[in-house]
Amino acid sequence: MRWNKCNKRNYRDILKYVTVMSGAKAAYILLGVENQTDIHYAMPVKNMVYDAMQYAEQVSRIASDHRNNSNKGTMSSAEFLSGFTREDRLQPVITLVVHFGADPWDGPTSLHEMLAVQDDTIRRYAQDYRVHMLDPGRISQNDFKKFASSLREVLNYIKYSKDEKGLARLLEEDERLKKLEVEAARVIERINQTYVDIDENA
């Protein structure tokens, strides 16, 4: 996975162009990251609005490119009206919520969970919108091993921050936590409002 620079928007915490290998081909996506220290009980709608705005911006940019490239003469009337041709395609927009809270996320993770009407006959006509989330309280120890960056130690610490015995065991057994990067240690310090003995020369 390679990270490329992308302009950050005010309505996003982080927005990056990401190149991901899909088989032998490179796929280009827009990855939005929302950092949540507190549970947001309308997160599906929040993410849906962000993603919709990004898709709308792509459509607008493509339409503007068609106008500036003076290829209007080759467009059908329908394509001209929409500014979007039959061959035009959008880049996927994926939003990942990173929950930095010690308590497991108990908010909705799909739009359907937020609907007042729970009748399946009606809900099947209402588009759903699901939240992709990293929630430390629900990550297993085996899954923590899949993280290559210091985010592993940050989320693992948060997971046990309210479990005195579990945290003591983690601090004793996790060698990577003992050699934590300064930046990651500061994140733990800020989020958990706890003192971390940071070696600035490490």
Side-chain angles (χ1 to χ4, degrees):
M1 183 178 289
R2 185 172 78 252
W3 295 80
N4 302 318
K5 186 176 180 182
C6 175
N7 291 331
K8 179 178 176 181
R9 303 298 179 186
N10 292 332
Y11 53 82
R12 286 280 195 185
D13 284 346
I14 300 171
L15 182 64
K16 295 279 187 179
Y17 282 115
V18 183
T19 306
V20 184
M21 293 307 296
S22 178
K25 297 181 179 179
Y28 301 93
I29 69 171
L30 279 164
L31 176 63
V33 179
E34 289 300 308
N35 299 313
Q36 291 291 139
T37 51
D38 298 312
I39 295 170
H40 193 304
Y41 289 99
M43 202 73 215
V45 172
K46 182 181 180 183
N47 283 0
M48 182 172 63
V49 170
Y50 288 169
D51 292 354
M53 290 174 69
Q54 186 58 49
Y55 281 123
E57 184 175 319
Q58 289 186 55
V59 171
S60 179
R61 186 171 61 249
I62 289 170
S64 177
D65 288 344
H66 285 312
R67 288 193 299 271
N68 294 334
N69 291 336
S70 301
N71 59 352
K72 292 179 284 188
T74 63
M75 299 171 71
S76 68
S77 59
E79 290 174 330
F80 178 76
L81 286 172
S82 62
F84 201 83
T85 71
R86 187 182 291 107
E87 289 76 25
D88 286 329
R89 294 294 181 268
L90 301 174
Q91 290 181 329
V93 180
I94 300 172
T95 297
L96 176 66
V97 176
V98 183
H99 179 218
F100 286 103
D103 296 321
W105 186 276
D106 65 355
T109 56
S110 73
L111 183 62
H112 275 189
E113 292 177 54
M114 298 179 63
L115 299 181
V117 176
Q118 293 298 305
D119 186 289
D120 287 339
T121 304
I122 297 174
R123 287 204 307 173
R124 69 180 180 178
Y125 292 104
Q127 299 287 356
D128 199 2
Y129 204 85
R130 297 188 174 276
V131 174
H132 303 295
M133 180 179 296
L134 284 179
D135 184 20
R138 301 185 189 279
I139 300 176
S140 70
Q141 287 306 310
N142 282 335
D143 284 339
F144 272 122
K145 295 175 184 177
K146 298 175 184 177
F147 289 87
S149 72
S150 57
L151 182 61
R152 164 187 159 178
E153 285 70 51
V154 171
L155 295 179
N156 213 352
Y157 188 101
I158 292 171
K159 178 184 177 76
Y160 292 103
S161 61
K162 291 188 175 181
D163 176 359
E164 192 173 329
K165 290 183 180 178
L167 185 59
R169 185 172 61 252
L170 178 69
L171 293 171
E172 177 64 29
E173 297 175 357
D174 194 327
E175 292 299 321
R176 284 178 44 149
L177 197 54
K178 296 174 185 177
K179 302 172 184 176
L180 198 59
E181 299 169 1
V182 172
E183 223 174 276
R186 294 206 182 282
V187 171
I188 289 175
E189 200 171 42
R190 284 196 300 268
I191 291 173
N192 293 280
Q193 297 181 342
T194 186
Y195 172 74
V196 178
D197 188 10
I198 301 173
D199 183 0
E200 298 287 351
N201 297 317

